[in-house]
Amino acid sequence: IELDKNITILRDKEEELEKAISHLSEQEPIDVDEAVTTTTPLYKQLLAAFAEEAATEDAIYYMGEALRRGVIDLDVFLKQVRTLSRKQFMLRALMFKCRQKAGLAG
């Protein structure tokens, strides 16, 4: 009796999931740039700077991996990391100023 009850519950849930999947597949694709919105231009600038800083950090990491694997030489690595580090510094300074202006924790 308990097993039949659980089987019925699982079938109902499976049917519910199939309906949700078919409903979602009928909808238009979501524009990722519009998926996250901000309330003010300052927050939009902070969000953009944060995303760019995270991408810059990833780029520096992968430059290190390329150097470690011998894909690039030391001169190329140093030149690129210096450029990326400057960019990262400016983005972090911008985020700091945005946080100050918005009254958020530094």
Side-chain angles (χ1 to χ4, degrees), residues 13-58:
K13 293 295 179 183
E14 183 179 20
E15 186 178 317
E16 186 180 326
L17 283 172
E18 287 175 4
K19 285 180 184 177
I21 289 170
S22 68
H23 177 70
L24 287 173
S25 64
E26 293 170 4
Q27 292 181 344
E28 293 181 23
I30 297 172
D31 181 12
V32 290
D33 292 329
E34 299 298 321
V36 177
T37 58
T38 58
T39 54
T40 65
L42 181 62
Y43 291 151
K44 185 175 184 175
Q45 185 179 20
L46 181 59
L47 182 64
F50 179 82
E52 192 173 350
E53 192 273 334
T56 303
E57 190 171 321
D58 288 348

Side-chain angles (χ1 to χ4, degrees), residues 59-76:
I60 291 170
Y61 170 80
Y62 285 108
M63 291 295 296
E65 285 297 301
L67 177 66
R68 186 179 66 79
R69 293 181 182 178
V71 176
I72 59 174
D73 62 2
L74 185 60
D75 292 340
V76 172

